[in-house]
Amino acid sequence: MREIIANSFVEIFSQEPLLAFAPGRINLIGEHTDYQEGFVFPAAVAQGIHFAIQKNNSKSARIHSLDFNEDFVFDVKSFSPKKGHWANYIMGMVSQFKQAGYEVAGFDMVFGGNIPVGSGLSSSAALSVGVGTAISGLFDFNIPKKSLALYAQKSEQLFEGLNCGIMDPYASAFGKADHALLLDCRSNSHEEVPISLGPYCLLLVNTKVKHKLADSAYNKRRSACEESVEILSHTFPDIKTLRDISETDLPKVKSILSIELFSKAKHVILEDVRVHQAGESLRRGELVKFGKLMKASHESLSKDYEVSCKELDFLAEESWKKSYVLGSRMMGGGFGGCTINLLENEYIPEFKESIAKSYFDAFNIEPEFIEVKPSDGARIVK
Ligand code: ADP
Ligand code: MG
């Protein structure tokens, strides 16, 4: 893949490029906790986007997307968002760099990769972080990874109008082979946790659905959490977000909030607890325990937080029935996308065959299987 990108750069622009790479990400556990300044547990994966870039001594950025087979040119001194277009993620990053005082001059770029778009591996974060890494390397800006992650988040918020969290670009920037990142979404700092899966592996199953409800439900859940914090702050004056409520406070919280708000708050509060328990389990190599936490996370997201859907529930429930599966849960915001599954390597073919058949029988859709492995984060390759 890297060679294809480098070769097509030479073919189009007739000069030698600098090469960069940025990966997609998974999230082991910790869903809908980020916007309450809680904890998440992502890892970068091997799938990602490759970039070939070089200065062109002009004030234009000339870009070729290999995957979309499309060119885009913009003036680095003056440009505006083009909603829904891939070039937005690039212009958004250039805009962030400029705001931070970095002088971005004209450049040529070819890029392409192997992250399935929109299936929950965060191809958009890989694109943003990769562009940032490539430009920072090209112009010797030496921008720290955390700044790249924050620029990528801001870029997507401003240029795509998406109220996204820090997790995706952070994981793409900081990923480390055979490790996951226990990320604190308040301090934006992380602990690396070694992941040793032995005879087990992580496999995503893509439902191939994306229900329309997703965006409005996401905003509603965010508001519900904020409303709970507002109500609870009369009794717990020191809290800023639900992250500040401990598990032992739950009975009190239950007596204060409506049933509806309580079930939402409970998910966020206990999901934070599960992230820490998962970190501890993986440090100790207790995969069975980790698998149980995955299941508990799914049940909470489905029943209490109500962001699952029948396809995700079906895949998780089918997987739980199998003795060689240690854990399965929906991954990402919900209402579609993938489940993440922890299962024994040697049963992968059997799992795929059985799940593909039962899922097709139930929904008339061929699911997609994506093998993932905790891998290194964004980097300059050469
Ligand atoms: P995801 O969940 O994969 O991040 P998004 O909808 O957030 O999905 O972002 C997908 C968008 O990112 C695509 O529509 C495209 O604009 C851009 N993108 C991602 N990967 C590529 C790629 N390989 N080439 C060009 N654009 C890409
Ligand atoms: Mg995205």
Side-chain angles (χ1 to χ4, degrees), residues 35-99:
Y35 47 81
Q36 282 294 307
E37 299 184 328
F39 297 87
V40 293
F41 204 7
V45 294
Q47 293 90 335
I49 304 181
H50 293 269
F51 301 81
I53 190 169
Q54 197 46 269
K55 297 173 191 171
N56 64 13
N57 299 314
S58 81
K59 57 187 181 68
S60 295
R62 300 185 297 187
I63 300 153
H64 180 70
S65 155
L66 217 58
D67 299 328
F68 286 63
N69 189 23
E70 194 184 0
D71 297 316
F72 193 88
V73 178
F74 67 95
D75 180 340
V76 292
K77 301 269 180 243
S78 154
F79 53 86
S80 44
K82 206 175 164 197
K83 198 165 163 47
H85 195 285
W86 52 262
N88 250 347
Y89 299 93
I90 299 166
M91 294 191 287
M93 284 305 275
V94 172
S95 165
Q96 286 300 307
F97 277 27
K98 285 172 68 177
Q99 249 178 52

Side-chain angles (χ1 to χ4, degrees), residues 41 193-197 276-290 293:
F41 204 7
V193 178
I195 306 283
S196 168
L197 295 180
H276 289 291
Q277 289 173 338
E280 213 33 59
S281 309
L282 287 173
R283 269 192 204 96
R284 295 197 186 130
E286 293 171 352
L287 297 180
V288 172
K289 187 157 176 223
F290 173 59
L293 291 165

Side-chain angles (χ1 to χ4, degrees), residues 328-346:
S328 176
R329 66 171 201 89
M330 56 164 275
M331 187 180 83
F335 303 103
C338 294
T339 58
I340 177 168
N341 304 274
L342 178 63
L343 70 152
E344 247 179 285
N345 272 318
E346 62 176 298

Side-chain angles (χ1 to χ4, degrees), residues 12 97 146-147 168 195 246 374:
I12 300 170
F97 277 27
K146 196 189 272 194
S147 306
D168 300 352
I195 306 283
S246 74

